[in-house]
């Protein structure tokens, strides 16, 4: 017997756990590191440069000009931002984003250095130029960086990476503020321009470090279309995104104006440089702490939409603090600005950038710069005009704070309104390339009727038959011309005769009687059945009773018996002889004639006919049973569900019997002694009955059914009912319990697979053919359990298409996978969401297992030996797992598990029993008597 070496993970696991804790703290995975590091570095240098520029502009501007001049600077930035956004959009369409970002930073560095060299005795125009230039640099460069990142990462990756990148921006801003404080204290604010130019030049070298292959999944195809503003107005998501950006910008511009006004009044002009530098440093440090400790976790835990509410909520709290002082005092205004400064570039920036990721690459390139330009700078312009009007009317900071509170409330409403459209983008992307399969027939309008009538003249018989079926489906057979009985196709004529007879068309009698002289016996029989069903003629029937064709003879015999003539007993005896001893053709003809007449007195003959095995007879018998509903036929119809060629007709016949049949199916489904080949088709049949009653039956059996395959069929039937009737009343508590059990099953199978793979890696002697099969079957069973869980979720949440979600997660494309994860995070809640996301996330299996166990509170033993795990698999409910485990046990010569093999053997025989018999033989151990 092979010696079983179990891997010792003690020291390695402690190291891995420490690394894993740090990675979870930052929210970063190994595949994210490169993107996060480069983005971190670029934004750190950019924001360090911006912080130094911001300190220089505020100190230089407010030390020489009154704060009331700020709105004019805001307006100038807004006006030029429109031009910059348009130019930026054209450049994005023509150049690689990495090269464009580097070029923009080089240009920004050159212009900033030029402003530093030109600065002597600053004039008001020069001060305005510095202020406007600082705003434009931030607008263009930061937009380009986030667009580049948007091409590289998915939504799920963005939630992890953006937090770290934003932290880089805050660290850079903090260091820039610290540099600004020291520089201002030593040589004054002018030389901050030179420092900013150097920092921008350093940032320009970093975008080239991104690999070209990482930039997005596909090339961007530019299509002609409406201009940007017109498309913005027509698209709900883009429009709401613009509204959100405008409202937030107006609100934060008001906060910035109130803050700078109060500070400039509270400190002498020569101290403003140091005051601004120190305060911005504190804000950046606070934002950094929040970014590292809370932001990434909040975005992942709450979702992007809820995370966006944090800043307006804190602003409302700050407004309440200011209003509580009955005046815009310095301390509460600083608290208001602290909420802005600490969250705007951390949590708020991260969440806002994630909102752009569901957009296609082309739309993101086209509209991000436009939305940021129109939204941020347009909002800044609106805010500036409003401030100028308010100041001109004599309003002070206290009045402006009240307006800020109102705007923060509107901002929160905009966040709440964008969530549905955000999720719709993921739903749309998941539906791309799929075909809607649930299509219902609508009422036929005039144009449809014209098209169908034209189809009756088609040279393609299949097209004619399809048109006839649609006419019959909508009860419009009276519109079909009788002359179609002269159609050259035999199949078309037979179908028309059948449908005309079923609809009671009397105008077919003349043509149908002519067809009684046809050389084709099937057409003669069909014509006779049609004539007998509409206007029976005993003389004609007795004449054709002598027809040499057994098919025509059978149709005449059944028609005569239905008339109950004097010699009916003799005719009945002849019919029983045909049923018991006739060939397949005549027995099928008898069943077809019974179906056409719809006489329940023939039910006994149908029971006898159903005993045959000929497929053509079975098909006609089942169709006849559907035409003559009878409770006594139920057992036969249920057994016929196992035959594929007649299943649909048998199902229709069962459903036609109504509540009595449903009660019978309920009973049979609960009887495990009924063959599986029959029981497996019962759930779908049950789903065809009255929706609420059928759902109650299926839901009751879902929790009780021991057979996994039958449970899956029940789940499909229940899911079909829920999809077609979303308002069904179901026991959500029971469904939630079953869903958690199903996820738990997936976790159990995953644990076995992970442990098995690790054991194989540690001891190659275990990696036999059976060992490989065992890993493969465990992987398949895990996937099956997850698919069942998603079907259950679709029943619990009928408004969401969980089938598409599951397919999105199964695709290889990381963007489809990330989109599905994002939808799951918004649709599900609590431990159910965490467990599902843990099991489908794109992380190593060991990490998936650890996260799922933590959520479910499950702590299975990891130190069990290989034989102990195989012993557990032999006791599993899945015969597939039992069978492969038994074969593997025999391969490895584990004679100490022979007793478990005997116990696992099914008393009813079957495939599992045969496998275990062979496994015991391989071990050289007698099988012993079968367990009973």
């Amino acid at each position: 017997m092979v010696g079983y070496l179990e891997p010792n993970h003690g020291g390695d696991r402690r190291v891995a756990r420490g690394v894993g804790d740090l990675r979870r703290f930052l929210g970063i995975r190994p595949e994210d590191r490169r993107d996060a590091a480069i983005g971190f570095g670029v934004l750190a240098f950019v924001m360090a440069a911006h912080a130094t520029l911001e300190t220089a502009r505020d100190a230089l501007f407010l030390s020489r000009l009154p704060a009331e001049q700020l709105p004019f600077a805001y307006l100038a930035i807004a006006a030029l931002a429109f031009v910059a956004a348009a130019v930026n959009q054209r450049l994005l369409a023509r150049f690689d984003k990495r090269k464009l970002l580097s070029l923009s930073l080089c240009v920004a560095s050159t212009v900033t250095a030029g402003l530093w060299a030109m600065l002597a005795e600053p004039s008001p125009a020069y001060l305005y130029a510095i202020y406007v230039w600082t705003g434009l640099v931030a607008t263009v460069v930061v937009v380009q960086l986030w667009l580049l990142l948007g091409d590289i990462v998915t939504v799920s990756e963005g939630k992890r990476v953006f937090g770290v990148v934003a932290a880089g921006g805050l660290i850079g801003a903090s260091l820039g503020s610290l540099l600004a404080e020291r520089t201002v204290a030593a040589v004054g604010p002018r030389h901050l321009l030179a420092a900013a130019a150097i920092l921008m030049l350093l940032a320009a070298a970093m975008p080239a470090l991104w690999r070209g292959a990482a930039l997005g999944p596909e090339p961007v195809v530019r299509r002609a279309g409406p201009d940007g503003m017109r498309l913005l107005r027509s698209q709900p998501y883009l429009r709401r995104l613009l509204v959100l950006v405008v409202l937030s910008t107006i609100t934060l511009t008001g906060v910035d104006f109130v803050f700078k006004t109060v500070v400039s009044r509270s400190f002498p002009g020569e101290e403003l440089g140091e005051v601004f530098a120190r305060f911005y440093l504190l804000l950046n440090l606070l934002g950094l702490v929040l970014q590292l400790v809370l932001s990434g976790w909040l975005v992942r835990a709450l979702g992007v939409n809820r995370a966006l509410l944090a800043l307006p909520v804190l602003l409302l709290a700050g407004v309440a603090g200011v209003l509580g002082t009955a005046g815009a005092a310095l301390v509460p205004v600083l608290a208001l600005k602290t909420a802005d400064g600490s969250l705007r570039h951390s949590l708020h920036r991260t969440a806002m950038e994630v909102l752009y990721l569901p957009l296609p690459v082309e739309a993101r390139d086209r509209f991000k710069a436009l939305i940021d330009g129109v939204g941020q700078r347009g909002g800044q312009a609106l805010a500036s005009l409003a401030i100028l009007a308010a100041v001109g009317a004599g309003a002070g900071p206290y009045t402006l704070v009240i307006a800020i509170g109102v705007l923060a409330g509107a901002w929160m409403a905009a966040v709440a309104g964008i969530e549905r459209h955000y999720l719709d983008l993921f739903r749309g992307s998941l539906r791309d390339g799929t075909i809607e399969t649930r299509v219902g027939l609508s009422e036929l309008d005039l144009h449809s009727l014209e098209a169908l009538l034209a189809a009756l003249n088609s040279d393609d018989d299949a097209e004619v038959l399809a048109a006839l079926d649609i006419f019959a489906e909508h009860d419009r057979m009276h519109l079909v011309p009788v002359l179609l009985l002269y159609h050259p196709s035999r199949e078309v004529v037979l179908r028309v005769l059948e449908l005309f007879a079923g609809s009671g068309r009397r105008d077919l009698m003349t043509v149908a009687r002519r067809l009684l002289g046809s050389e084709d016996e099937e057409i003669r029989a069909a014509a006779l059945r049609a004539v007998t069903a509409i206007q029976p003629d005993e003389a004609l029937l007795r004449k054709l009773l002598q027809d040499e064709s057994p098919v025509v003879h059978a149709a005449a015999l059944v028609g005569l018996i239905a008339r109950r003539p004097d010699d009916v007993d003799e005719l009945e005896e002849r019919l029983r002889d045909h049923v018991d001893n006739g060939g397949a053709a005549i027995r099928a003809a008898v069943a077809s004639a019974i179906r056409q007449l719809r006489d329940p007195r023939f039910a006994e003959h149908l029971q006898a006919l159903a005993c045959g095995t000929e497929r053509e007879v079975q098909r006609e018998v089942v169709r006849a049973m559907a035409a003559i509903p009878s409770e006594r036929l139920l057992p036969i119809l249920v057994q016929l569900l196992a035959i594929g060629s007649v299943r649909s007709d048998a199902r229709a016949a069962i459903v036609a019997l109504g509540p009595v049949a449903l009660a019978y199916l309920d009973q049979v489904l609960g009887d495990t002694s009924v063959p599986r080949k029959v029981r497996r088709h019962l759930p779908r049949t049950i789903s065809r009955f009255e929706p609420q009653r059928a759902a109650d039956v299926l839901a009751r059996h879902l929790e009780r059914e021991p057979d996994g395959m039958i449970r899956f069929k029940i789940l499909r039937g229940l899911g079909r009912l829920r999809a077609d009737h979303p308002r069904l009343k179901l026991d959500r508590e029971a469904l939630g319990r079953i869903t958690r059990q199903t996820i738990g099953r997936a976790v159990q199978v995953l644990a076995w697979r992970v442990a098995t793979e690790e054991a194989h890696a540690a001891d190659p002697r275990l990696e036999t053919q059976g060992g490989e099969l065992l890993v493969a079957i465990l992987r398949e069973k895990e996937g099956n359990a997850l698919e069942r869980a998603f079907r259950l979720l679709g029943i619990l949440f009928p408004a969401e298409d969980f089938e598409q979600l599951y397919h999105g997660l199964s695709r290889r494309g990381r963007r489809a996978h990330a989109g599905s994860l994002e939808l799951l995070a918004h649709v599900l809640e609590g431990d159910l969401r965490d467990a599902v996301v843990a099991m489908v996330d794109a992380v190593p299996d060991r990490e998936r297992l650890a996260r799922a166990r933590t959520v479910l509170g499950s702590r299975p033993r990891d130190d069990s030996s290989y034989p102990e795990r195989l012993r557990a698999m032999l006791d599993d409910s899945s015969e597939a797992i039992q069978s492969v485990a038994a074969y593997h046990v025999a391969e490895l010569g584990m004679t100490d598990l022979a007793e478990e093999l005997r116990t696992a053997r099914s008393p009813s025989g079957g495939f599992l029993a045969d496998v275990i018999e062979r496994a015991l033989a391989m071990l050289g151990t007698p099988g012993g008597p079968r367990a009973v």
Side-chain angles (χ1 to χ4, degrees):
M1 182 167 131
V2 176
Y4 305 103
L5 303 179
E6 295 295 331
N8 180 8
H9 297 291
D12 293 341
R13 282 181 176 170
R14 284 191 292 272
V15 174
R17 190 179 300 116
V19 174
D21 290 342
L22 177 61
R23 202 173 68 215
R24 283 191 293 273
F25 176 73
L26 295 175
I28 289 295
R29 296 175 183 172
E31 63 269 23
D32 302 329
R33 291 172 186 166
R34 182 184 184 90
D35 299 328
I38 300 173
F40 178 97
V42 174
L43 194 58
F45 280 115
V46 169
M47 293 309 295
H50 181 68
T52 56
L53 273 178
E54 191 177 37
T55 303
R57 75 169 188 188
D58 290 346
L60 292 170
F61 192 96
L62 293 175
S63 63
R64 292 169 172 79
L65 298 172
E68 286 75 14
Q69 297 292 314
L70 284 173
F72 295 106
Y74 297 158
L75 286 171
I77 293 174
L80 291 175
F82 281 103
V83 178
V87 172
N88 195 32
Q89 186 175 341
R90 291 178 179 273
L91 294 174
L92 286 168
R94 298 182 61 183
F95 296 104
D96 178 89
K97 291 188 178 71
R98 294 170 300 161
K99 296 178 181 178
L100 180 60
L101 177 58
S102 295
L103 178 62
S104 298
L105 285 167
C106 288
V107 171
S109 174
T110 302
V111 173
T112 304
L115 289 173
W116 167 73
M118 293 168 57
L119 184 61
E121 184 62 31
S123 64
Y126 193 82
L127 294 174
Y128 272 105
I130 293 177
Y131 206 101
V132 171
W133 173 247
T134 302
L136 286 178
V137 169
T139 298
V140 174
V141 172
V142 173
V143 165
Q144 289 179 355
L145 172 60
W146 288 109
L147 277 175
L148 179 56
L149 277 168
D151 280 1
I152 295 171
V153 302
T154 65
V155 172
S156 298
E157 294 164 350
K159 286 185 174 182
R160 302 189 299 265
V161 170
F162 284 1
V164 176
V165 173
L170 291 167
I171 290 175
S174 301
L175 294 175
S177 298
L178 180 61
L179 173 65
E181 181 193 15
R182 300 295 172 84
T183 303
V184 168
V187 296
R190 171 180 176 264
H191 296 289
L192 292 177
L193 298 173
I198 296 172
L199 291 169
M200 289 177 190
L201 198 58
L202 293 174
M206 300 191 70
L209 298 176
W210 264 307
R211 295 184 298 269
L215 302 181
E218 71 278 321
V220 176
V221 179
R222 305 287 170 183
R223 298 180 179 90
D227 64 80
M229 290 303 298
R230 198 164 58 221
L231 195 55
L232 273 174
R233 290 193 297 269
S234 66
Q235 297 297 320
Y237 184 72
L238 294 173
R239 190 169 64 247
R240 282 166 172 76
L241 196 57
L242 176 61
V243 169
L244 179 58
V245 174
V246 169
L247 281 173
S248 62
T249 302
I250 293 174
T251 308
L252 296 178
T253 301
V255 171
D256 186 67
F257 178 79
V258 169
F259 161 70
K260 290 177 179 176
T261 300
V262 172
V263 169
S264 64
R265 293 176 181 177
S266 304
F267 294 93
E270 62 273 10
E271 297 180 9
L272 287 178
E274 291 187 33
V275 169
F276 283 126
R278 290 173 182 174
F279 187 71
Y280 290 155
L281 174 61
L282 290 174
L283 285 185
N284 291 328
L285 290 174
L286 179 58
L288 176 60
V289 172
L290 291 175
Q291 180 67 20
L292 292 176
V293 176
L294 286 178
S295 292
W297 175 79
L298 283 174
V299 171
R300 294 190 298 274
L302 299 180
V304 60
N305 303 93
R306 294 186 183 96
L308 280 170
L309 292 172
L311 181 51
V313 167
L314 282 181
L315 288 179
L316 281 175
V319 167
V322 173
L323 298 181
T325 62
L330 178 62
V331 173
V333 169
L334 290 178
L336 184 66
K337 179 62 178 177
T338 299
D340 168 21
S342 60
L343 290 182
R344 187 198 300 195
H345 299 295
S346 56
L347 176 62
H348 181 69
R349 165 61 76 177
T350 301
M352 282 298 299
E353 293 302 331
V354 172
L355 285 183
Y356 287 100
L357 290 181
L359 291 168
V361 175
E362 180 182 359
R364 190 165 58 244
D365 287 353
R366 185 175 183 185
F367 293 110
K368 178 171 170 51
L370 187 59
I371 289 174
D372 283 355
V374 172
Q376 291 184 6
R377 299 316 174 187
Q380 200 172 48
L382 291 174
S384 302
L385 292 172
I387 291 170
L388 286 172
V391 171
Y398 187 82
T399 304
L400 293 176
V401 168
I402 296 175
I404 289 170
V406 174
L407 288 167
W411 179 353
M412 294 173 64
V415 171
I418 202 173
E419 181 173 9
R420 177 172 64 87
H421 302 282
Y422 171 74
L423 298 178
D424 283 345
L425 287 175
F426 293 106
R427 296 185 180 105
S429 64
L430 289 175
R431 285 193 298 267
D432 285 348
T434 63
I435 299 175
E436 179 57 54
T437 56
R438 292 193 295 269
V439 180
L441 286 173
S442 59
E443 288 300 317
L444 296 178
D445 56 21
L446 179 60
H447 296 292
S448 300
L449 289 172
E450 290 176 351
L452 287 172
L453 288 170
L456 295 178
N457 296 320
S458 173
D459 293 333
D460 186 351
D461 293 350
E463 187 176 344
V464 177
L465 292 170
L468 286 170
D469 288 339
I470 295 175
F471 275 114
E473 177 76 21
H474 289 275
D475 196 21
R476 293 290 189 272
M477 283 303 299
H478 62 281
L479 299 176
V480 177
V482 176
L483 292 177
L484 202 61
L485 287 171
Y486 290 109
H487 198 280
S489 168
R490 177 175 180 271
E491 288 74 16
V492 171
V493 173
L494 290 173
R495 184 64 174 147
V496 171
L497 283 168
E498 179 182 352
L499 293 175
F500 276 0
S503 64
R505 286 277 299 266
R506 291 184 173 273
D507 56 343
L508 68 82
M509 296 299 294
T510 302
V511 181
R513 286 180 179 275
R514 289 183 180 179
L515 291 176
L516 290 173
S518 171
E519 296 181 359
D520 189 317
E521 64 175 6
E522 290 290 345
I523 290 181
R524 293 204 309 276
L528 178 59
R529 289 194 297 265
V531 169
T532 304
I534 296 172
Q535 189 177 342
D537 183 340
E538 186 172 341
L540 177 64
L541 290 169
R542 288 192 180 275
K543 175 184 176 182
L544 292 177
L545 193 61
Q546 309 305 319
D547 195 288
E548 62 182 11
S549 166
V551 177
V552 178
H553 168 80
L557 181 60
V558 173
L560 270 175
I561 293 173
R563 299 283 295 165
R564 312 304 293 173
D566 294 338
D567 58 345
V568 66
D569 292 337
E570 178 187 345
L571 295 172
E572 284 275 9
E573 186 64 29
R574 293 173 64 179
L575 180 61
R576 276 192 292 270
D577 182 62
H578 287 327
V579 169
D580 296 337
N581 305 311
I586 194 168
R587 295 170 71 231
V590 169
S592 181
I594 292 173
R595 173 173 60 86
Q596 202 75 62
L597 291 176
R598 300 175 181 270
D599 191 334
R601 291 174 295 180
F602 291 101
E604 179 183 351
H605 296 293
L606 290 177
Q607 283 182 290
L609 287 168
C611 296
T613 58
E614 302 93 340
R615 292 299 169 85
E616 64 268 29
V617 178
Q618 287 176 333
R619 183 172 182 273
E620 290 300 330
V621 167
V622 171
R623 295 176 68 191
M625 288 180 175
I628 308 172
S630 174
E631 295 179 29
R632 63 195 292 189
L633 299 175
L634 259 176
I636 298 173
L637 288 168
V638 169
Q639 294 300 317
L640 289 173
L641 289 174
I643 303 174
S645 60
V646 300
R647 186 175 301 129
S648 60
D649 292 315
R651 187 169 281 143
I654 293 171
V655 173
L657 291 169
V660 174
L662 179 59
Y664 182 76
L665 293 179
D666 186 4
Q667 176 186 345
V668 176
L669 184 57
D671 186 356
T672 55
S673 66
V674 175
R676 177 194 265 191
K677 65 180 181 180
V678 174
R679 293 179 69 234
R680 64 183 294 188
H681 300 294
L682 296 180
R684 184 171 183 181
T685 307
I686 291 172
S687 70
R688 300 293 182 88
F689 286 85
E690 191 276 320
Q692 188 60 60
R693 291 183 180 180
D696 292 340
V697 171
L698 291 175
R700 185 167 62 253
H701 284 281
L702 182 61
E703 199 164 10
R704 301 174 184 174
E705 176 57 50
D707 190 316
M709 192 263 283
I710 305 297
R711 281 200 309 273
F712 180 72
K713 294 289 186 178
I714 293 172
L715 193 55
R716 288 185 63 182
L718 196 58
R720 187 176 292 107
L721 280 170
R722 183 63 136 173
D724 294 336
H725 308 279
R727 296 182 181 277
L728 284 176
K729 296 179 180 179
L730 299 173
D731 187 345
R732 292 183 60 83
E733 182 178 348
L735 287 171
R737 184 170 58 250
I738 298 170
T739 304
R740 287 173 174 81
Q741 291 170 356
T742 306
I743 297 171
R745 168 64 172 172
V747 173
Q748 177 193 47
V749 176
L750 173 62
W752 281 344
R753 180 170 64 81
V754 169
T756 302
E757 289 175 334
E758 290 176 351
H760 290 179
D763 185 357
R765 290 174 295 175
L766 300 178
E767 202 168 359
T768 62
Q769 181 183 10
E772 294 176 356
L773 286 173
L774 186 59
V775 170
I777 198 67
L778 290 173
R779 189 183 301 277
E780 179 185 346
K781 291 298 179 182
E782 177 195 343
N784 292 343
L786 286 175
E787 183 181 357
R788 289 197 299 273
F790 270 78
R791 288 184 179 274
L792 283 161
L793 290 172
I795 298 171
L796 278 168
F797 304 95
E800 199 63 54
D801 191 343
F802 275 88
E803 183 179 354
Q804 290 290 350
L805 272 173
Y806 182 75
H807 290 321
L809 290 165
S810 304
R811 293 172 186 169
R812 294 182 178 179
R814 58 192 184 103
R815 293 190 182 275
H817 188 279
S820 298
L821 279 179
E822 183 71 0
L823 274 175
L824 281 177
H826 282 78
V827 174
L828 305 180
E829 294 182 349
D831 62 337
L832 183 60
R833 175 194 62 196
D834 295 339
V836 173
V837 170
M839 285 300 293
V840 299
D841 204 356
V843 296
D845 290 333
R846 174 58 71 176
E847 185 174 336
R848 284 200 300 132
L849 179 61
R851 287 170 53 189
R853 284 176 172 176
T854 301
V855 174
L856 297 176
S858 169
R859 293 290 179 184
R861 289 176 55 196
D862 277 338
D863 56 350
S864 59
S865 66
Y866 199 68
E868 287 174 336
R869 286 194 289 272
L870 289 175
R871 182 179 287 112
M873 293 181 207
L874 288 173
D875 194 38
D876 191 62
S877 60
S878 167
E879 288 192 357
I881 292 178
Q882 287 179 296
S883 299
V884 179
Y887 176 69
H888 191 40
V889 165
E891 272 189 321
L892 297 175
M894 293 182 174
T895 54
D896 52 335
L897 294 183
E899 187 58 37
E900 282 75 7
L901 283 173
R902 296 189 188 94
T903 304
R905 183 173 48 197
S906 171
S908 59
F911 177 74
L912 175 61
D914 293 340
V915 171
I916 291 179
E917 289 290 345
R918 288 196 291 270
L920 289 170
M922 290 171 66
L923 289 174
T925 304
R930 288 185 178 275
V932 293

